[in-house]
């Protein structure tokens, strides 16, 4: 990652575009996970939950990718409840959420709590109209992350299957 950023600056670019400093490490981490997975015949789990996905708090082709996504339809609060029901250690289920890259908690980056987000997702209600508007803005700004990759032809058309 350091080499990429140095090359960028060395080639005359003055600053890195927004998101690069946080998104590139997530993509490198996913590349590493797929390297290990392929090496041992394993699978990569996408651990994004509904709360993160709803506001786009993930990196395309980084932490929002995987071979299966068992938590995709559960809010962060529901994921904690599932962990508790399974008897997972408290320090694991109640760990302060953070991307591990920028030194801030998720909630510090959001400007609202998971509880506010999860309540809005499940009930449509929020204790603060300002927070509700911020959540809606993040949702709208990140809708592109939910669109399936466009493909000009289906395999059925190309190969005459079906």
């Amino acid at each position: 990652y350091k080499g990429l950023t140095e090359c960028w600056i060395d080639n005359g670019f003055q600053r890195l575009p927004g998101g690069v400093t946080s998104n590139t490490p997530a993509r490198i981490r996913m590349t590493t996970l797929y390297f290990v997975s392929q090496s041992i015949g394993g699978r990569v789990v996408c651990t994004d939950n509904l709360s993160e996905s709803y506001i786009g708090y993930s990196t395309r082709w980084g932490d929002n990718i995987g071979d299966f996504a068992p938590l995709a339809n559960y809010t962060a609060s529901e994921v904690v409840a599932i962990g508790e029901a399974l008897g997972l250690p408290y320090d694991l289920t109640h760990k302060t959420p953070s991307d591990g890259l920028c030194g801030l908690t998720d909630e510090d980056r959001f400007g609202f709590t998971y509880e506010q987000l999860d309540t809005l997702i499940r009930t449509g209600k929020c204790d603060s109209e300002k927070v509700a508007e911020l959540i809606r803005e993040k949702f709208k700004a990140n809708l592109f992350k939910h669109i399936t990759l466009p493909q000009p032809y289906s395999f059925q058309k190309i190969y005459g299957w079906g």
Side-chain angles (χ1 to χ4, degrees), residues 52-111:
E52 295 166 340
S53 181
Y54 191 85
I55 59 169
Y57 190 60
S58 63
T59 299
R60 284 177 58 172
W61 312 115
D63 57 347
N64 78 338
I65 203 76
D67 298 316
F68 62 105
L71 306 176
N73 294 316
Y74 299 103
T75 65
S77 303
E78 293 164 347
V79 171
V80 170
I82 291 168
E84 289 174 341
L86 292 172
L88 297 177
Y90 183 90
D91 60 336
L92 178 63
T93 57
H94 292 273
K95 179 183 174 198
T96 302
S98 165
D99 66 6
L101 299 169
C102 71
L104 298 173
T105 69
D106 291 356
E107 292 178 347
D108 288 338
R109 293 191 72 186
F110 299 165

Side-chain angles (χ1 to χ4, degrees), residues 115-157:
E115 182 179 355
Q116 290 171 309
L117 174 58
D118 295 351
T119 299
L120 183 70
I121 290 170
R122 291 299 186 209
T123 69
K125 298 177 184 175
C126 187
D127 60 1
S128 164
E129 188 52 41
K130 181 179 175 182
V131 167
E133 187 56 34
L134 180 58
I135 292 170
R136 288 186 198 105
E137 286 173 11
K138 288 182 180 293
F139 173 78
K140 290 175 190 171
N142 288 283
L143 280 173
F144 72 95
K145 292 182 179 180
H146 300 283
I147 297 170
T148 303
L149 184 64
Q151 298 178 2
Y153 300 101
S154 72
F155 283 107
Q156 291 177 338
K157 288 181 183 176

Side-chain angles (χ1 to χ4, degrees), residues 4-65:
L4 288 172
T5 58
E6 289 172 354
C7 179
W8 182 264
I9 302 298
D10 290 347
N11 283 288
F13 295 98
Q14 295 303 312
R15 70 177 195 85
L16 293 167
V20 170
T21 56
S22 60
N23 289 331
T24 301
R27 290 183 180 117
I28 292 170
R29 181 169 45 194
M30 189 54 64
T31 300
T32 303
L33 290 173
Y34 270 100
F35 171 85
V36 172
S37 172
Q38 185 175 3
S39 298
I40 64 172
R43 296 287 175 255
V44 175
V45 179
C46 173
T47 60
D48 275 4
N49 59 57
L50 179 60
S51 305
E52 295 166 340
S53 181
Y54 191 85
I55 59 169
Y57 190 60
S58 63
T59 299
R60 284 177 58 172
W61 312 115
D63 57 347
N64 78 338
I65 203 76

